[in-house]
Amino acid sequence: MIVQLAQRYLVHLAAPDPDAKAPKELTDKVDTVLGVVAWAGTAAGVAGVLITGAMMAISMRRGEGSEHMGRLGMVLGGCVLVATAGPLVNFVFA
């Protein structure tokens, strides 16, 4: 009985239809922040490769065994992740 009464009154109500677009001011700020974060990620990747290379050169000069290839692999994997994050998100959500 309550369900039938609710249906009778709710049938005539219009469902809300919100605008799916974010405000332009918000998207501009988010784009700026994401650009800075992407730039910082790229800079960190380059710095990581340079630091790992320097550590490899120092250990080779000392004659020590070098276990830096694993570290270099992780740095390069992070670089690939940073470089493909934007296109991957566009592919999934666009």
Side-chain angles (χ1 to χ4, degrees):
M1 177 157 161
I2 295 175
V3 173
Q4 293 171 349
L5 184 64
Q7 283 179 343
R8 186 181 315 153
Y9 290 108
L10 293 177
V11 166
H12 302 291
L13 294 177
D17 189 20
D19 188 20
K21 298 286 183 179
K24 179 73 171 149
E25 299 83 20
L26 178 64
T27 57
D28 288 343
K29 291 178 182 178
V30 169
D31 286 343
T32 301
V33 169
L34 288 177
V36 169
V37 169
W39 180 85
T42 303
V46 170
V49 170
L50 291 174
I51 291 169
T52 303
M55 291 176 71
M56 289 173 73
I58 291 170
S59 66
M60 290 295 281
R61 181 162 171 90
R62 290 182 182 169
E64 299 172 354
S66 177
E67 296 183 6
H68 300 289
M69 291 306 286
R71 182 178 297 155
L72 182 62
M74 289 192 306
V75 169
L76 292 177
C79 290
V80 168
L81 183 64
V82 168
T84 60
L88 187 62
V89 168
N90 269 344
F91 175 74
V92 172
F93 292 111

